[in-house]
Amino acid sequence: MQEPAQAGELIGSIYEAGMDGSRWPAFMDKLRSALNAGFGNLWLLDKTRWSFNNDDSGDVCAFSGLDAATVGVYKDEYAKLNVWLPNALDLPEGALTVSSALYPDHRLKGTEFYDVFLRPNDLFYAVGSSVAQRGTTDVRLSFVRAERAGRYSTGELRLLQDLMPHLRNAVVLHRELYRSRALAASAMQALELLPVGVILLTPSGRVAHANRRAHDLCARSAGLRLDGAGGFRATAAAAHSDLERLVRDAIRTATGKGLGHGGSLRLRGPGGRLQVLVTPLGTFQAFGDDPMAAIFCSDPDAAIGHLSQSLESMYGMTPAEALLAEALVSGKSLQEYAESRSVTMNTVRTQLKSAMAKAGARRQADLVRIVLTGPAVFRRPD
């Protein structure tokens, strides 16, 4: 019998798999070889349901030693015949067990499970463990080898036991990364639904992501240029200096080094005007750990659309207050809005004060920020 591989190499493979789910099969190949096993299985147990496929569920599932067709047949037809499983259902997390402790070896050859699955695949002795438990689900690890290979040795069992805490860590890491990546992907898709342009900025002030609307608005106005390599620049030199200052202040606030809340600018380019609002984000988990600030872009000469309807239903604004809030989000000034609606500035200021109170904002910039980062911009009119 070959000696087990050194734990250090296997531990390295475990964490590589935790970071990159496509590497779980490679790890299973290494560990199966170290244990002289014919079949290795990393699978999900949920009551009477088994999962073997490494799909988009976020669970860790991989196998080694048998082809996918054979494993598929086992999953669909033979798993319910497994005589070892009933006595292993309550296995504590991190614990190991061997097949002889779950079902007598001398009776195994008289079972249908042996006839239809173990014997055709030259398998007999098994070792299994509970890697990580969460609610009703349990990630299980098991290896089965030929009868001629003998029972698993003390050294082999010790190797597996030494790997258990690392396997659990890697499974948790795998799940967290899957969750974060899925959340980030969903968030990025959501950005594309926004009627405003959104540019996410890293702590160094580089562009982490810009949605399609941001690219369209920047290209149309030419007031703000995105260079495709993470850089951005306002067309007018003086405006770019102001924009850089707002970005620096927003990032300082997001990283706990300042109190600035960003601000807004009206940029002009050969193609028209562009309203931008710079705001701190903090560590916005939906987009990963990088984005610290955002630049919201809008066309002050074009209405967003039906945002006012959402503002009425979500914040209890009157139609007039909602129209004003929508106009501010689209980049119009109070004076421009008053002139477009043929109302006095006193009326507009009264509406603004009421709209801010209903949205929980203390300043005009806060009202715009709350609307832009809230659910109203995603909602479509009924």
Side-chain angles (χ1 to χ4, degrees), residues 240-289:
H240 183 71
S241 178
D242 291 338
L243 180 60
E244 283 190 319
R245 175 180 53 79
L246 292 177
V247 168
R248 283 197 304 270
D249 288 348
I251 291 175
R252 283 179 58 82
T253 298
T255 54
K257 299 176 182 178
L259 299 175
H261 57 80
S264 60
L265 283 176
R266 182 71 60 84
L267 304 179
R268 293 183 180 274
R273 300 188 299 172
L274 182 68
Q275 186 73 23
V276 299
L277 171 70
V278 181
T279 180
L281 282 183
T283 304
F284 198 178
Q285 191 175 13
F287 299 106
D289 293 334

